[in-house]
Amino acid sequence: MMTNDNRPFVYEKHQLIETICQLRFPTILSIDTKEPADFQDTIRAAFPRYACQMDQVNGPDGKAAQVRNHSFITADGAFKLSLTKDFIALSTMRYPGWEDFAHMLDEPLGQFIRVYQPAYFERIGLRFLNAVSREQLGLTHRRWNDLLQPAYLSILDDDTVDEAGVVKCSVDIERRLDGRCGLKLHAGPGNIRRQIRDAGGVRTVQEQETRFILDLDVYIGGSTQLNAAAEALEQLHLAADRVFSDAITDVLHEAMEPVVK
């Protein structure tokens, strides 16, 4: 069970717009060739809504292939569980905190292991997509280098640079962390696209505000035994928390309103 949260506080105004946990496993063809009815029966109380779509992916030979992506969604639409022949993933755009997120994953992951019996996990990843909004945080008078550390800013760390005149600027990092953990990170200003549902259906709109994107993907590659998955995810969560804490300044930390738990 994944319930440990090492941070002694929570942010009242966190800037997360999406959180994804994905566990990849050696291909199980039956997931792609028949409906996962047995699996659905075990999680239907928590994820009553079902949908299936065909995703296009590139195979090992570089050729495009169609893969069924089974989606199981909570009644309020806050959480989506995705299952393909190669991975299981939980995602949300309304992050409730690590303990609640992990709780939502515990039962489906356990049932997936019971029903499909994967040999092991090939990659376990945890992604936190942050989009810092100066408008939401009352920081429109601040430059990005007041909020983020220099290593994540490139030219935007220079006070003489006109931020509005920078068309494109990003920092992309891939590195090893402690133990088996790795990190892929993208940092830089950008605009967010959101899906809005109204009487006319679902449409995509792009926000006018320029936010600072801090996209953290921490992962463990290689073989991870099934009974070690929860421990691996705790390790990844701790690593992501450290990276995020190291990337922000005290100004941003205080603006997000940390509250002691």
Side-chain angles (χ1 to χ4, degrees), residues 73-114:
I73 305 165
T74 55
D76 62 1
F79 287 85
K80 180 173 74 172
L81 188 70
S82 301
L83 178 65
T84 76
K85 64 184 179 65
D86 299 308
F87 70 80
I88 184 171
L90 179 69
S91 61
T92 183
M93 294 184 180
R94 286 185 261 168
Y95 185 64
W98 176 245
E99 292 183 4
D100 289 337
F101 182 84
H103 177 73
M104 290 297 296
L105 179 61
D106 271 337
E107 180 65 17
L109 182 58
Q111 294 296 345
F112 164 77
I113 292 172
R114 184 186 65 81

Side-chain angles (χ1 to χ4, degrees), residues 6-53:
N6 294 282
R7 182 184 285 172
F9 56 85
V10 294
Y11 286 120
E12 289 289 294
K13 295 183 177 180
H14 70 72
Q15 298 295 285
L16 276 167
I17 61 172
E18 188 170 19
T19 304
I20 306 170
C21 176
Q22 184 192 77
L23 299 96
R24 301 191 69 88
F25 46 82
T27 299
I28 300 175
L29 293 175
S30 62
I31 296 175
D32 203 45
T33 57
K34 64 180 181 180
E35 293 180 346
D38 291 343
F39 176 64
Q40 184 197 28
D41 284 343
T42 67
I43 63 168
R44 190 152 34 89
F47 296 85
R49 296 163 54 188
Y50 170 78
C52 182
Q53 68 182 38

